[in-house]
Amino acid sequence: MTTFPPPDFSDPEFTAFPDAEFAPAPTDGVLPDGFFSTTNLPTFVKVRGQWIAPREPRMDSGLVLDRDGVIWTREGRRIQRGDLVAVGDKEDGSQGIFVQTHLVPPGADADAFAFMSSEVSREKPIDYSTMARLLVDERERGGYPVWVTGPALVHSRARSDMSWFISQGFVGALLAGNAVAVHDIEASIYGTTLGMTNTGEITQGGHGLHMRAINRVRAAGSIANAVAQGIITDGIMYSCVKHEIPFVLTGSIRDDGPLPGVITDMLQAQDAMRAHTIKATMAIMIATALHAIATGNMLPAFVQLPDGAMRELPTICVDSSEFVVSKLKDRGTHQAFGVVTNAQDFMHILRIYVERELESRAATAQHATSGAATP
Amino acid sequence: MTTFPPPDFSDPEFTAFPDAEFAPAPTDGVLPDGFFSTTNLPTFVKVRGQWIAPREPRMDSGLVLDRDGVIWTREGRRIQRGDLVAVGDKEDGSQGIFVQTHLVPPGADADAFAFMSSEVSREKPIDYSTMARLLVDERERGGYPVWVTGPALVHSRARSDMSWFISQGFVGALLAGNAVAVHDIEASIYGTTLGMTNTGEITQGGHGLHMRAINRVRAAGSIANAVAQGIITDGIMYSCVKHEIPFVLTGSIRDDGPLPGVITDMLQAQDAMRAHTIKATMAIMIATALHAIATGNMLPAFVQLPDGAMRELPTICVDSSEFVVSKLKDRGTHQAFGVVTNAQDFMHILRIYVERELESRAATAQHATSGAATP
Amino acid sequence: MTTFPPPDFSDPEFTAFPDAEFAPAPTDGVLPDGFFSTTNLPTFVKVRGQWIAPREPRMDSGLVLDRDGVIWTREGRRIQRGDLVAVGDKEDGSQGIFVQTHLVPPGADADAFAFMSSEVSREKPIDYSTMARLLVDERERGGYPVWVTGPALVHSRARSDMSWFISQGFVGALLAGNAVAVHDIEASIYGTTLGMTNTGEITQGGHGLHMRAINRVRAAGSIANAVAQGIITDGIMYSCVKHEIPFVLTGSIRDDGPLPGVITDMLQAQDAMRAHTIKATMAIMIATALHAIATGNMLPAFVQLPDGAMRELPTICVDSSEFVVSKLKDRGTHQAFGVVTNAQDFMHILRIYVERELESRAATAQHATSGAATP
Amino acid sequence: MTTFPPPDFSDPEFTAFPDAEFAPAPTDGVLPDGFFSTTNLPTFVKVRGQWIAPREPRMDSGLVLDRDGVIWTREGRRIQRGDLVAVGDKEDGSQGIFVQTHLVPPGADADAFAFMSSEVSREKPIDYSTMARLLVDERERGGYPVWVTGPALVHSRARSDMSWFISQGFVGALLAGNAVAVHDIEASIYGTTLGMTNTGEITQGGHGLHMRAINRVRAAGSIANAVAQGIITDGIMYSCVKHEIPFVLTGSIRDDGPLPGVITDMLQAQDAMRAHTIKATMAIMIATALHAIATGNMLPAFVQLPDGAMRELPTICVDSSEFVVSKLKDRGTHQAFGVVTNAQDFMHILRIYVERELESRAATAQHATSGAATP
């Protein structure tokens, strides 16, 4: 348990600081403009040269000086007209108010007390504009974005959005497990995933449909053959085959089938994945703990540019729960940027933002061209 | 622990069933068309009049009859060309295969073994079309959709989408807590929520901004005054005031402030909420456990139509975690339909779908009108 | 959206029902004994032969008959002394109160409206006594309980409790991944897991310790060799080797190393696991989605007893989140019984209950023996 | 996106560093003792005075120098006997290996790359010994530990453990909502909570039992009266009344009833809570987001000792999900120490550890006494 003394106020640093200023509350329940808003940390206020600790400390309150020279920590609603309230917005003593930061966790910055400082939270805004810009930048400069996806992407019916990204050149390589391909192919052949329809209904006898889908691809000999024979007519695997985007399907202990082409030996599978991660210039991991951590293990946190400089390798990790992102960081992928949402919604909105970014760049380019053409 | 005997196969029902059919596997690792896909339940196959239990039972496999009359449960990949595999898709004995359902939980339907049967899961597709249609229907028939929201809606910057729904007539009443209004107003005045910017950055001194926002509204005397005085210039509360949509802000033990107009007595607050729930024809609850359960407590599961018939009161509950929806159901709001996603993304996509639905109806209406106008 | 008419009250079934009874409230805010507690479903009350729908329906309230013959749904706190309140506890009309259940989800039982009916929730009590009894029963009758564990078991330092279960004969076989063994062995050699100490501190240079642990076992040639050479001196793998409990370590795409003995080909690994699941008489799955679902895929829901009867195969699934258990059920393992807690705490309490169960049986046995000896 | 140059190796700091050392791999797939274990950060190795960046960077690997002077990042399993592998455990250049830390998030310490550095995770060990010691210390020195609990504590049947802590003097004050008392009293009178039994079963007609429990206490006039009249015979509220431990029950918008004594006005309720938080010397918050954040808002992060020194106010926050703890920290209660587990299990194990701590201190005291008595 951390223990520490109050500051040594005889130190010249403190004697040089001015007294705090106080202003009267304009009316009951209202603090004066510029009031000092408290934290939950040890706080001292300079009054006539003395540093006084306010009583009954708590955060989000004002500091009221009473006639006896006592300072009280008081909620705004309890302020009465004319109460003398400390004003200021500095916590370093320069305005006569000093906040001790011994209890702030190591690593927090100078402005020690802050809200919303967690790394990953469903309560943080998702910056789709930046992600869209990064993706379009990558395509423009010939980058190699590696996408890593889990089966929830398919169950939740983000198949068509994923196919769009593949067909439009935003995917360097797709890394996934057997299940992603199985559900995607079941959806193409039967319209269901594990027997569940697009609207979440369970179908009669549906529990066998993924096995029938696998069996048909096994009979065809490969996913590419099944596409060529018209068995698979849309979706993620179809788009990879049609657009010649490389994919690695790695096996796992929970696989059904597996589909032909799934690499069942984990050492071979790691080598196959790493052939792509060493080329990666960006990584997007969606709704998979297993494959995200596997990829994170192999992925450098940086890309070396032609001029020798380093830049961060943008790594986006999307999951319904903060836990997967924290786990990824706990396995060393500190550069991961967490997005806490549903895979279906993420894909849908990201596509809309990428489409907007493309339109905006096209408009700018046309403007520049037509402008250049103007004599 | 459930214990039960095997079926009485001397019963006429069973003696009337035919023998199961078997077909040879066309090649190694491939099952014949129409193969029976196993479950993990007790299973019996009729061979030459005898009901035989397959050995080594498991789900997702084929049933192979060997030369000794033994039936094995075998994964597709272990099948060899020519193996005799049971075919059929009925589990009721009518094709010579019978599955016992004693272990299926009560309430499951006849087709007992199924995947994806949980009530709420992030792995289920979200049916935005249906929700959009419901909302537009409600507006057309003059319904009273009650929206119930938590602060994550504001932190995640779905403010503008929420404002759009208010301004377009999709909100009968808004039920929320003090925090929703505080963050919304902080965002309007300072561009932050709890000191966090639109892109998730923490601002210097930002921890006091929500207190300053509250103080300004307290000085103005009411939210409506603060709108009238140009202190609040956009957002959720602004839109409610401008469009005269009723709102109830209820206090809670964790409130800062509170803002003027927040009902701090819980019995009065419940009465104020209930004045809206008794009129409700639909409910949309987003990112709040406390207010969702409070509203669920007051909300009938049905609406009585003018002709006396009853219809379900559509109740949508959106949260990042399955837990809140389950908790709501566990408190009796069984009609709640759960959507597991992020509030920001939900609002954004729902708005897009509602806009599309409106366009589609407008097009249909115009078509009908122009058609009618044609002589 | 479900729509349905009110009941046909001219039906003889309804005409035969008596009028509802009413009793006066004894004082303000207090309902009479035996008051009828409302649900949120359509409700009808028979008064002088007429079936009346109470106004302003909601759950958890009383039904008050006013002088005009109108019935109001009213919260207990709003009741006034002398108000006539409906009494009864039947919802089937037999006490003059009828509740329509069209809106109750299919599968719910007759007593349709209930709280706390979700299948898996952190809010449900964990019945350690029953689990302990099952485990001791299994040991007594020579059962084959299969344990399936994830790495959180090791990070959270349930190693010693798991070792105890192994050494005391409660484990038929252990199924796990490379990571469980890696962390367990790192803890035995260096006292850390991924460089984190027993109390959760991070050690200087600790990120390399799991690699050093793997390297030492690879140098020894096998886990058994490393135990024999005194490199591994305690923990889960040590106990399995010492007590000759079979284990299967299956590889995955995210493995470091792997350790010698880990089966890296998934098809071989599935076959190795299944050699144990076909013998299983109970399954305990702790803190692993991947291996729990893999085992669930292979596990029959039942055990056939020597006399031909079937009994459920007890399947316990422990996880910090409801999601893993729901996912397991969604993949067909409906018999899974979910326990939502932390792996460390689960193991610790389960051990205490098993120790108590053993003491209690020993005491009973001794009592029986000494009793028998008494003339 | 962070961009930065490689280090300036002409700097004297770097020229002073020695070349890295290399050792041959003893056998295939085994690294030499003391091998350098890589991170995912930019890394440079000094070979014959030149700083070389290894190719194909990734974490958890060795660095192999080939005959052409190229250094490869290679997994241990791919090492061949005789490969020259870099050795060392320093990342600061002092052993000829330098790791750039520009990409490590601000605030991380010098040893920048680490695993398991998240603040709150279900994968971290729970240190019950320390918590037990803190609680016993508090009791010995007359501290004022404030307990804050949510209803899951009661549903999960930790009632008797909570009662034990109350009766044994470990609770200064109890802060909770109406629901905790309602469920606790329903359990005392009817043996159920919301109609659910101790073993999680739902009872016929159980949905009305909490309303009947509330009604009985309302009829008695107060919780204390209901205890005195023998209506409430055990549990949390019973123990508070019997042992005269102060409690504050605060209302919320979702309350049933409420019970007599629940403070329904939130401003009065905050004042009542704060009367305890200003005396608090420790805080234990279990299974409640609402009340934990409310208490956190009011709680200083520190206690001032008689001698003027400050010490941290130990604040323990227990929840099934990391989210509640993160949310609490995001609202400024940075000192909160998170325990991710089930309330029932937490209470049970904490009690066992406290009992052990008491026994151990008693034994020590007795030993000291008897030792002192010896001449």
Side-chain angles (χ1 to χ4, degrees):
Chain A
M1 209 159 27
T2 315
T3 306
F4 52 93
D8 177 4
F9 292 117
S10 64
D11 190 283
E13 186 191 9
F14 285 102
T15 54
F17 285 138
D19 274 5
E21 289 189 30
F22 291 84
T27 179
D28 283 3
V30 178
L31 295 150
D33 280 352
F35 68 93
F36 181 84
S37 188
T38 61
T39 73
N40 58 3
L41 302 172
T43 299
F44 302 89
V45 183
K46 194 168 185 178
V47 180
R48 272 172 255 126
Q50 299 296 312
W51 290 90
I52 302 171
R55 295 200 190 164
E56 303 187 351
R58 60 159 292 175
M59 67 173 78
D60 292 336
S61 294
L63 296 173
V64 177
L65 178 66
D66 75 10
R67 291 172 187 194
D68 303 322
V70 174
I71 296 178
W72 299 90
T73 314
R74 199 159 285 167
E75 296 90 338
R77 63 181 166 84
R78 295 170 67 207
I79 295 290
Q80 294 186 324
R81 184 177 167 196
D83 276 353
L84 287 177
V85 179
V87 295
D89 56 3
K90 296 274 182 292
E91 298 172 355
D92 59 2
S94 62
Q95 297 176 336
I97 306 173
F98 183 78
V99 178
Q100 268 190 306
T101 57
H102 294 72
L103 291 167
V104 171
D109 64 13
D111 184 24
F113 183 81
F115 294 120
M116 305 305 284
S117 56
S118 68
E119 290 199 331
V120 188
S121 169
R122 65 194 71 170
E123 293 188 319
K124 304 231 159 168
I126 306 174
D127 188 353
Y128 283 103
S129 305
T130 299
M131 288 188 283
R133 211 158 44 234
L134 283 171
L135 270 172
V136 177
D137 284 349
E138 285 289 320
R139 192 177 74 170
E140 287 190 355
R141 70 178 164 227
Y144 199 79
V146 170
W147 292 63
V148 185
T149 65
L153 187 85
V154 189
H155 285 306
S156 68
R157 301 304 191 271
R159 289 172 73 229
S160 59
D161 290 320
M162 186 70 211
S163 302
W164 182 86
F165 282 105
I166 294 167
S167 68
Q168 297 301 307
F170 291 105
V171 178
L174 174 69
L175 310 181
N178 180 64
V180 166
V182 168
H183 299 328
D184 178 59
I185 292 171
E186 181 190 336
S188 179
I189 301 179
Y190 299 108
T192 56
T193 62
L194 289 179
M196 175 181 68
T197 69
N198 283 345
T199 52
E201 306 297 310
I202 298 173
T203 55
Q204 185 86 10
H207 71 78
L209 294 179
H210 68 299
M211 301 312 298
R212 300 192 197 289
I214 292 168
N215 201 51
R216 291 193 65 182
V217 181
R218 290 176 73 98
S222 73
I223 292 173
N225 286 357
V227 169
Q229 295 171 19
I231 295 170
I232 305 172
T233 57
D234 63 10
I236 297 170
M237 301 319 299
Y238 174 88
S239 299
C240 284
V241 169
K242 283 292 175 185
H243 295 278
E244 298 185 343
I245 300 302
F247 58 87
V248 178
L249 298 178
T250 54
S252 88
I253 192 66
R254 51 164 285 208
D255 287 348
D256 295 309
L259 287 167
V262 169
I263 306 175
T264 60
D265 184 80
M266 291 302 99
L267 306 184
Q268 289 175 26
Q270 287 187 357
D271 292 349
M273 284 175 69
R274 197 166 172 223
H276 297 286
T277 59
I278 60 176
K279 294 193 276 179
T281 56
M282 183 176 182
I284 303 110
M285 303 159 165
I286 306 168
T288 168
L290 178 63
H291 293 264
I293 293 172
T295 304
N297 283 351
M298 298 177 186
L299 201 65
F302 64 97
V303 179
Q304 186 151 25
L305 303 179
D307 67 356
M310 314 285 180
R311 72 167 171 86
E312 189 180 345
L313 193 156
T315 306
I316 298 165
C317 179
V318 182
D319 203 87
S320 277
S321 119
E322 287 86 357
F323 177 60
V324 168
V325 187
S326 289
K327 188 163 175 167
L328 181 63
K329 288 173 176 286
D330 270 355
R331 268 66 179 179
T333 305
H334 297 292
Q335 83 272 18
F337 174 78
V339 176
V340 180
T341 191
N342 176 291
Q344 172 187 359
D345 290 352
F346 175 81
M347 293 298 287
H348 198 66
I349 302 186
L350 185 61
R351 173 177 168 175
I352 289 169
Y353 273 79
V354 167
E355 287 175 332
R356 277 187 210 158
E357 178 72 20
L358 293 172
E359 279 165 27
S360 149
R361 293 195 188 191
T364 309
Q366 192 172 10
H367 188 74
T369 312
S370 60
T374 309
Chain B
M1 208 157 30
T2 315
T3 307
F4 51 94
D8 177 4
F9 292 117
S10 65
D11 189 283
E13 185 192 8
F14 285 102
T15 54
F17 285 138
D19 273 5
E21 288 189 30
F22 291 84
T27 179
D28 284 3
V30 178
L31 294 150
D33 281 351
F35 68 93
F36 181 85
S37 187
T38 61
T39 74
N40 57 4
L41 301 172
T43 299
F44 302 89
V45 183
K46 195 167 184 179
V47 181
R48 273 172 255 126
Q50 298 296 312
W51 290 91
I52 302 171
R55 296 200 190 164
E56 302 186 352
R58 61 159 291 176
M59 67 173 78
D60 291 336
S61 294
L63 296 173
V64 177
L65 178 65
D66 75 9
R67 292 173 188 193
D68 303 322
V70 174
I71 297 179
W72 299 91
T73 313
R74 199 158 284 167
E75 296 90 339
R77 63 182 166 82
R78 295 169 69 208
I79 296 289
Q80 294 186 325
R81 185 177 167 195
D83 277 352
L84 287 178
V85 179
V87 294
D89 55 5
K90 296 275 182 291
E91 299 173 355
D92 59 2
S94 62
Q95 297 176 335
I97 306 174
F98 183 78
V99 177
Q100 268 190 307
T101 57
H102 294 72
L103 291 167
V104 171
D109 65 13
D111 185 24
F113 182 81
F115 294 119
M116 305 304 285
S117 56
S118 68
E119 289 199 332
V120 187
S121 169
R122 65 194 71 169
E123 292 188 321
K124 303 232 159 167
I126 306 175
D127 188 354
Y128 283 102
S129 306
T130 297
M131 288 188 283
R133 212 159 43 234
L134 282 171
L135 269 173
V136 178
D137 284 349
E138 285 289 320
R139 192 176 73 169
E140 288 191 355
R141 71 178 163 226
Y144 199 80
V146 170
W147 292 63
V148 185
T149 64
L153 187 86
V154 189
H155 286 305
S156 67
R157 300 305 192 271
R159 289 173 71 229
S160 59
D161 290 319
M162 186 69 211
S163 302
W164 183 86
F165 281 106
I166 294 167
S167 69
Q168 298 300 307
F170 292 105
V171 177
L174 174 68
L175 310 181
N178 179 64
V180 166
V182 168
H183 300 329
D184 177 60
I185 292 171
E186 181 190 336
S188 178
I189 301 179
Y190 300 108
T192 57
T193 63
L194 290 179
M196 175 181 68
T197 69
N198 283 346
T199 52
E201 305 298 309
I202 297 173
T203 55
Q204 185 86 8
H207 71 79
L209 294 179
H210 68 298
M211 300 313 297
R212 300 191 197 289
I214 292 168
N215 201 52
R216 291 192 65 181
V217 181
R218 289 176 72 98
S222 72
I223 292 173
N225 286 357
V227 169
Q229 295 171 18
I231 296 170
I232 305 172
T233 57
D234 63 10
I236 297 170
M237 301 319 299
Y238 174 88
S239 299
C240 284
V241 170
K242 283 291 174 187
H243 295 278
E244 299 185 342
I245 300 302
F247 57 88
V248 178
L249 298 178
T250 53
S252 88
I253 192 67
R254 51 165 285 207
D255 286 348
D256 296 308
L259 287 167
V262 169
I263 306 175
T264 60
D265 184 79
M266 291 302 99
L267 306 185
Q268 289 174 26
Q270 287 186 357
D271 292 349
M273 283 175 70
R274 197 167 173 223
H276 296 286
T277 58
I278 59 176
K279 294 194 276 179
T281 56
M282 184 175 182
I284 303 110
M285 302 159 165
I286 306 168
T288 169
L290 178 63
H291 293 265
I293 291 171
T295 304
N297 283 350
M298 299 176 186
L299 202 65
F302 63 99
V303 180
Q304 185 152 24
L305 303 179
D307 67 355
M310 313 285 180
R311 71 167 171 84
E312 189 180 346
L313 193 156
T315 305
I316 298 166
C317 180
V318 182
D319 203 87
S320 278
S321 118
E322 286 86 357
F323 177 61
V324 169
V325 187
S326 289
K327 189 164 175 168
L328 181 63
K329 288 172 176 286
D330 271 355
R331 268 66 178 177
T333 305
H334 297 292
Q335 84 273 17
F337 175 79
V339 176
V340 181
T341 190
N342 176 292
Q344 172 186 0
D345 290 352
F346 175 80
M347 292 298 288
H348 198 66
I349 301 185
L350 185 61
R351 173 177 169 175
I352 290 169
Y353 274 79
V354 167
E355 287 176 331
R356 277 186 212 160
E357 178 72 20
L358 293 172
E359 281 165 26
S360 148
R361 294 195 188 191
T364 309
Q366 192 172 12
H367 188 73
T369 312
S370 60
T374 310
Chain C
M1 209 159 28
T2 316
T3 307
F4 51 95
D8 177 4
F9 291 118
S10 64
D11 190 282
E13 185 192 9
F14 284 102
T15 54
F17 285 138
D19 274 3
E21 289 189 31
F22 291 84
T27 179
D28 284 2
V30 178
L31 295 150
D33 281 352
F35 69 93
F36 181 83
S37 188
T38 61
T39 73
N40 57 4
L41 301 173
T43 300
F44 302 89
V45 182
K46 195 168 185 179
V47 180
R48 273 172 255 125
Q50 298 296 312
W51 290 90
I52 301 171
R55 295 200 190 163
E56 302 187 352
R58 61 160 291 174
M59 66 174 79
D60 292 337
S61 293
L63 295 173
V64 177
L65 178 65
D66 75 10
R67 291 172 188 194
D68 303 322
V70 174
I71 297 178
W72 298 90
T73 313
R74 199 159 283 167
E75 296 90 337
R77 62 181 166 83
R78 294 170 68 208
I79 296 289
Q80 294 187 324
R81 184 176 168 198
D83 277 351
L84 287 179
V85 178
V87 295
D89 56 4
K90 295 276 182 290
E91 300 173 355
D92 59 1
S94 62
Q95 297 176 336
I97 305 173
F98 183 78
V99 177
Q100 267 190 307
T101 57
H102 294 72
L103 291 168
V104 171
D109 64 13
D111 185 24
F113 183 82
F115 294 120
M116 304 304 284
S117 56
S118 68
E119 288 198 332
V120 187
S121 169
R122 65 195 72 170
E123 292 188 321
K124 304 231 159 169
I126 306 175
D127 187 352
Y128 283 103
S129 305
T130 298
M131 288 188 282
R133 211 158 46 233
L134 282 171
L135 269 173
V136 177
D137 284 349
E138 285 289 320
R139 191 176 75 170
E140 288 190 354
R141 69 178 163 227
Y144 199 80
V146 169
W147 293 62
V148 184
T149 66
L153 188 86
V154 189
H155 285 305
S156 67
R157 300 305 192 270
R159 290 173 71 229
S160 60
D161 290 319
M162 185 70 212
S163 302
W164 182 86
F165 282 106
I166 295 166
S167 70
Q168 298 301 306
F170 292 104
V171 178
L174 174 69
L175 310 181
N178 180 63
V180 166
V182 169
H183 300 328
D184 177 60
I185 292 171
E186 181 190 336
S188 179
I189 301 179
Y190 299 108
T192 57
T193 63
L194 289 179
M196 175 181 68
T197 69
N198 282 346
T199 53
E201 306 297 310
I202 298 173
T203 54
Q204 185 85 10
H207 71 79
L209 295 178
H210 68 298
M211 301 312 298
R212 301 192 196 290
I214 292 169
N215 201 51
R216 290 193 65 182
V217 181
R218 289 177 73 98
S222 73
I223 293 173
N225 285 359
V227 169
Q229 295 171 20
I231 295 169
I232 305 171
T233 57
D234 62 11
I236 297 170
M237 301 319 300
Y238 174 88
S239 299
C240 283
V241 169
K242 283 292 175 186
H243 296 278
E244 300 184 343
I245 300 301
F247 57 88
V248 177
L249 298 178
T250 55
S252 87
I253 192 67
R254 52 165 283 209
D255 287 348
D256 295 308
L259 287 166
V262 169
I263 306 175
T264 60
D265 183 80
M266 291 302 97
L267 306 185
Q268 289 174 27
Q270 288 187 357
D271 292 347
M273 283 175 69
R274 196 165 174 224
H276 297 286
T277 59
I278 60 177
K279 295 193 276 179
T281 57
M282 183 175 182
I284 302 109
M285 302 158 167
I286 307 169
T288 169
L290 178 63
H291 293 266
I293 292 173
T295 305
N297 283 350
M298 299 177 186
L299 202 64
F302 64 97
V303 179
Q304 186 152 23
L305 304 178
D307 67 356
M310 312 287 180
R311 72 166 171 85
E312 188 180 346
L313 193 156
T315 306
I316 298 165
C317 180
V318 182
D319 203 87
S320 277
S321 118
E322 287 85 357
F323 177 60
V324 168
V325 187
S326 289
K327 189 164 175 168
L328 181 62
K329 288 173 176 286
D330 270 354
R331 268 67 179 177
T333 305
H334 297 291
Q335 83 273 16
F337 174 79
V339 177
V340 180
T341 191
N342 176 294
Q344 172 187 1
D345 290 351
F346 175 81
M347 293 298 288
H348 198 66
I349 302 185
L350 185 61
R351 173 176 169 176
I352 289 169
Y353 274 79
V354 167
E355 287 176 332
R356 277 187 209 158
E357 177 72 21
L358 293 172
E359 280 165 26
S360 149
R361 295 196 187 191
T364 309
Q366 192 172 10
H367 187 75
T369 313
S370 60
T374 311
Chain D
M1 209 159 26
T2 315
T3 307
F4 51 94
D8 176 4
F9 291 117
S10 64
D11 190 282
E13 186 192 9
F14 285 102
T15 54
F17 286 138
D19 275 3
E21 288 188 31
F22 291 83
T27 178
D28 284 2
V30 178
L31 294 149
D33 280 352
F35 67 93
F36 181 84
S37 187
T38 61
T39 73
N40 57 4
L41 301 172
T43 300
F44 302 89
V45 183
K46 196 169 186 178
V47 180
R48 272 172 255 126
Q50 298 296 312
W51 290 90
I52 301 171
R55 295 201 191 163
E56 302 185 352
R58 59 160 292 173
M59 67 174 78
D60 292 337
S61 294
L63 295 173
V64 177
L65 178 66
D66 75 10
R67 291 172 187 194
D68 303 322
V70 174
I71 297 179
W72 297 90
T73 314
R74 199 159 284 167
E75 296 91 337
R77 63 181 165 84
R78 294 169 68 208
I79 296 288
Q80 294 187 323
R81 184 177 168 196
D83 276 352
L84 287 179
V85 179
V87 295
D89 56 4
K90 295 275 182 290
E91 298 172 356
D92 60 1
S94 62
Q95 297 176 335
I97 305 174
F98 182 78
V99 178
Q100 266 190 307
T101 57
H102 294 72
L103 291 168
V104 171
D109 64 13
D111 184 24
F113 183 82
F115 294 121
M116 303 305 283
S117 56
S118 68
E119 288 199 333
V120 187
S121 169
R122 64 195 72 170
E123 293 188 321
K124 304 231 158 168
I126 306 175
D127 187 353
Y128 284 103
S129 305
T130 297
M131 288 188 282
R133 211 158 46 234
L134 283 171
L135 270 173
V136 178
D137 283 351
E138 285 290 320
R139 192 176 74 169
E140 288 190 353
R141 69 177 163 226
Y144 199 79
V146 170
W147 293 62
V148 185
T149 65
L153 187 86
V154 189
H155 286 305
S156 68
R157 301 305 192 271
R159 289 173 72 228
S160 59
D161 290 320
M162 186 70 212
S163 303
W164 182 86
F165 281 106
I166 295 166
S167 68
Q168 297 301 306
F170 292 105
V171 178
L174 174 68
L175 310 181
N178 179 64
V180 165
V182 168
H183 300 329
D184 177 60
I185 292 171
E186 181 190 335
S188 179
I189 301 179
Y190 300 108
T192 56
T193 63
L194 289 179
M196 175 182 68
T197 69
N198 283 345
T199 52
E201 305 297 311
I202 297 174
T203 55
Q204 185 85 11
H207 72 79
L209 294 178
H210 68 298
M211 300 313 298
R212 301 191 196 290
I214 291 168
N215 202 50
R216 291 192 65 180
V217 181
R218 289 177 73 97
S222 73
I223 292 173
N225 286 357
V227 169
Q229 294 172 20
I231 295 169
I232 305 171
T233 57
D234 62 10
I236 297 170
M237 301 320 299
Y238 174 89
S239 299
C240 283
V241 170
K242 283 292 174 186
H243 295 278
E244 299 184 345
I245 299 302
F247 57 88
V248 178
L249 298 178
T250 55
S252 88
I253 191 66
R254 52 166 283 208
D255 286 349
D256 296 308
L259 288 166
V262 169
I263 306 175
T264 60
D265 183 80
M266 291 301 99
L267 306 185
Q268 288 175 28
Q270 287 186 357
D271 292 348
M273 284 175 69
R274 197 166 173 224
H276 296 286
T277 58
I278 61 176
K279 294 194 276 179
T281 56
M282 182 174 183
I284 303 108
M285 301 159 167
I286 307 169
T288 170
L290 178 63
H291 293 265
I293 292 172
T295 305
N297 283 350
M298 299 178 186
L299 202 64
F302 63 99
V303 179
Q304 185 151 25
L305 303 178
D307 67 356
M310 313 287 180
R311 71 166 171 84
E312 188 180 347
L313 193 156
T315 305
I316 298 165
C317 180
V318 182
D319 203 88
S320 277
S321 118
E322 287 86 356
F323 177 61
V324 169
V325 187
S326 290
K327 188 164 177 169
L328 181 63
K329 288 173 176 286
D330 270 355
R331 268 67 179 177
T333 305
H334 297 293
Q335 82 274 17
F337 174 79
V339 177
V340 181
T341 190
N342 176 292
Q344 172 186 359
D345 290 352
F346 175 81
M347 292 298 288
H348 199 66
I349 302 185
L350 185 62
R351 173 177 169 175
I352 290 170
Y353 273 79
V354 167
E355 287 176 332
R356 277 186 210 159
E357 178 72 20
L358 293 172
E359 280 165 28
S360 148
R361 294 195 189 192
T364 309
Q366 192 171 12
H367 188 75
T369 312
S370 60
T374 311

